[in-house]
Amino acid sequence: MNVAASPAALRNCSDAEWQVRCDLAALYRLCGHHKWTDWIFTHISARVPGPEHHFLLNRYGVMHDEMRASDLVKIDIDGNPVDEPNWDGSSELVNKAGFVIHSAVHAARDDAHFVIHTHTRDGIAVSAQKDGLLPISQHAMKYYGHLAYHGYEGIALDEDERVRLVADLGHHNAMILRNHGILVCGPTAAHAYDELYTLERACSAQIAAMSGGAELVFPPQEVCERAAAQFRRPGGEHVRAIAWAAALRLIEGGTDYRS
């Protein structure tokens, strides 16, 4: 009896890499589901298991809501495609700006296995406000004292910017890129998705609250600090795993992202 080859074997990768590919493709589909996309010009990346410091990035031109595990391109820390036998160098497999930003975080942070960068309307709007994210919603409280900022330097094509970007990010898992958008990272796809969902909700709440023109209510500093600590209490990974399993049900049906 013939036994069908596993998807990992067909893609000539390990089972561990294939699982990362499936998780990353799921993140793309979820961002498509939530409309957190900017056509083909934002990226989500994941570190490939192993000592080579390779990571996965979307194939240039593939939309978030059509991403599959097999569409992801493995590249090295210098942006060179790895294991792409059909690529002759005549086409651009990955976006240069995406490589610059994501490679910087992966190279600097061993814990940043997944990195998400978005250009959403509300994320950009908050990034353009002088005071940044305001502590006016429960979602925003998560980032009180735990949010980084990076000044705008133009389209991220200059590899020298990587040094300044990671210095600004520091140990945080979320950063506002001024006049640009937001960036989050995490050790798992579930963690990165949770960071993005919460920060996007915080930005949307702020833009909605400010658009009404009414005076805003700011909780006392000690309350903000307490809420931020509550978000980091033990058990967070368990909750994120439950939320991730629920989120995956949003993208079931249609073309399988695990293909």
Side-chain angles (χ1 to χ4, degrees):
M1 182 176 71
N2 293 328
V3 177
S6 69
L10 292 173
R11 194 63 177 77
N12 192 30
C13 69
S14 67
D15 289 339
E17 178 182 326
W18 187 256
Q19 183 59 57
V20 172
R21 284 177 172 270
C22 291
D23 288 343
L24 182 56
L27 281 174
Y28 274 101
R29 292 287 182 100
L30 283 167
C31 283
H33 174 84
H34 292 296
K35 309 300 182 186
W36 295 334
T37 66
D38 186 11
W39 203 6
I40 59 170
F41 299 113
T42 51
H43 314 279
I44 313 171
S45 61
R47 178 177 287 117
V48 176
E52 297 86 0
H53 300 291
H54 295 159
F55 65 98
L56 300 166
L57 200 62
N58 53 314
R59 188 176 297 272
Y60 205 13
V62 179
M63 301 285 282
H64 283 49
D65 59 5
E66 62 186 7
M67 194 66 65
R68 302 172 302 168
S70 57
D71 290 321
L72 297 160
V73 179
K74 188 193 310 186
I75 59 178
D76 63 23
I77 206 66
D78 296 315
N80 302 307
V82 178
D83 298 336
E84 291 289 339
N86 297 322
W87 182 62
D88 61 6
S90 61
S91 61
E92 190 173 0
L93 278 182
V94 298
N95 181 276
K96 172 70 172 178
F99 156 71
V100 169
I101 291 174
H102 290 256
S103 64
V105 180
H106 284 300
R109 292 275 299 272
D110 288 339
D111 62 321
H113 291 182
F114 291 83
V115 180
I116 310 175
H117 170 43
T118 62
H119 295 166
T120 62
R121 181 195 63 182
D122 295 335
I124 294 171
V126 171
S127 80
Q129 294 177 343
K130 184 176 181 180
D131 292 329
L133 187 68
L134 302 175
I136 58 173
S137 69
Q138 180 163 280
H139 290 83
M141 297 299 172
K142 177 178 181 178
Y143 298 102
Y144 191 82
H146 298 275
L147 182 63
Y149 291 84
H150 175 65
Y152 186 64
E153 299 186 23
I155 297 175
L157 300 175
D158 183 358
E159 295 186 18
D160 289 344
E161 186 179 352
R162 293 190 292 186
V163 176
R164 296 180 291 277
L165 188 146
V166 298
D168 289 336
L169 178 63
H171 64 278
H172 296 300
N173 286 329
M175 181 164 66
I176 289 181
L177 304 174
R178 290 291 193 182
N179 309 103
H180 188 172
I182 65 177
L183 181 145
V184 300
C185 59
T188 65
H191 195 130
Y193 176 71
D194 176 70
E195 295 285 358
L196 181 64
Y197 183 89
T198 308
L199 186 52
E200 285 286 356
R201 292 285 288 177
C203 289
S204 295
Q206 178 169 321
I207 296 306
M210 296 182 74
S211 68
E215 185 176 357
L216 301 177
V217 175
F218 289 82
Q221 179 179 339
E222 59 270 22
V223 172
C224 296
E225 292 173 347
R226 178 172 182 267
Q230 288 174 321
F231 273 105
R232 286 158 181 79
R233 65 190 184 277
E237 288 302 324
H238 173 67
V239 174
R240 277 188 282 268
I242 295 174
W244 176 248
L248 291 179
R249 294 196 293 273
L250 296 173
I251 55 173
E252 293 295 343
T255 305
D256 193 349
Y257 66 88
R258 294 160 292 205
S259 62

